[in-house]
Amino acid sequence: MNKNYNIRSYVFIALFAALFVVMSAISFKLSISQVPITLQTLAVCLSGLFLGARNGLLSILLVLVLTAIGLPMIHGEGGVAILYGYTGGYLFSFLWSSLIIGYISGPLLRNETIWRSKIAAFITLFIVMELFGSLFVYLFGVPWMMHSLGFSFQKAMSAGCYPFLIGDALKSVLAAAIGVSLRPSILKLRETTGTRKLETTGTVIG
């Protein structure tokens, strides 16, 4: 991978990290939930979709590292305590969500059979976003909340899962719609940041 690929990769990693921070800042809490409603999962979906597996993960990792050293990256707050608080399971799951979405979406974006029908492409992308950008997050987030707050499983689900399912589905719809609308731009971005080149060498798939 040449120097130009590296520079473009770093720039877009930083841009999508900034997108995640901005979408974290857009938040409010429901009276029935401990976890704030944000657009974080949308940012995670888009980072994997646009940047691929490796760079998508790195964009989220950058935010978590900056948060750990004290910068106000998450809901305007920073510090290690944020990462190990009751929402920590959700935050760390974002790393793997972006990685998996980046890994799976790459071949889907290039699959001409799927793209013969934009409806089929949209449904396929929606399923990927919903499974790995939304439902997957709860596999880590809910148990960590139970551990951190001493909640029962039912209480943790009521506080940190059920209230968000409809909103998460809508964010998955939006992410899939963006993927369908901007497919040529996404493929070009993956090419020009070296994601496709690395994929062909077997170094990373995204």
Side-chain angles (χ1 to χ4, degrees):
M1 186 165 62
N2 64 32
K3 185 176 180 181
N4 288 334
Y5 281 145
N6 276 319
I7 292 173
R8 287 183 66 84
S9 293
Y10 298 152
V11 168
F12 281 99
I13 287 168
L15 285 175
F16 276 83
L19 177 66
F20 181 88
V21 173
V22 170
M23 291 190 170
S24 294
I26 305 171
S27 68
F28 62 94
K29 282 189 175 182
L30 299 173
S31 59
I32 60 174
S33 174
Q34 298 285 334
V35 181
I37 293 178
T38 73
L39 296 178
Q40 286 175 334
T41 53
L42 177 59
V44 170
C45 290
L46 294 180
S47 68
L49 179 65
F50 279 79
L51 301 183
R54 186 196 65 170
N55 289 350
L57 181 146
L58 289 176
S59 70
I60 307 302
L61 180 62
L62 176 60
V63 175
L64 299 187
V65 170
L66 294 177
T67 300
I69 65 178
L71 296 181
M73 299 283 104
I74 307 294
H75 316 311
E77 301 179 61
V80 174
I82 299 296
L83 300 182
Y84 287 96
Y86 62 86
T87 60
Y90 300 96
L91 295 175
F92 282 103
S93 70
F94 290 156
L95 290 169
W96 311 113
S97 288
S98 184
L99 178 74
I100 295 169
I101 289 170
Y103 184 93
I104 295 175
S105 63
L108 290 178
L109 288 167
R110 292 185 293 272
N111 188 319
E112 295 299 333
T113 300
I114 293 175
W115 287 92
R116 289 174 185 170
S117 167
K118 286 193 174 182
I119 295 176
F122 170 81
I123 292 173
T124 303
L125 284 176
F126 168 76
I127 291 172
V128 171
M129 300 304 171
E130 181 67 8
L131 287 178
F132 301 108
S134 173
L135 300 180
F136 174 82
V137 173
Y138 296 112
L139 293 179
F140 298 88
V142 171
W144 185 256
M145 175 179 282
M146 293 170 62
H147 168 75
S148 298
L149 299 178
F151 283 178
S152 66
F153 175 75
Q154 184 58 46
K155 187 173 182 179
M157 290 292 287
S158 296
C161 178
Y162 297 145
F164 305 97
L165 293 177
I166 294 176
D168 284 346
L170 292 175
K171 283 178 274 188
S172 295
V173 167
L174 181 55
I178 291 172
V180 171
S181 300
L182 299 181
R183 180 197 178 209
S185 299
I186 295 170
L187 289 173
K188 183 177 180 180
L189 176 60
R190 284 173 173 247
E191 292 280 353
T192 58
T193 55
T195 298
R196 178 58 177 160
K197 183 177 180 180
L198 286 171
E199 176 180 321
T200 59
T201 65
T203 305
V204 66
I205 297 179

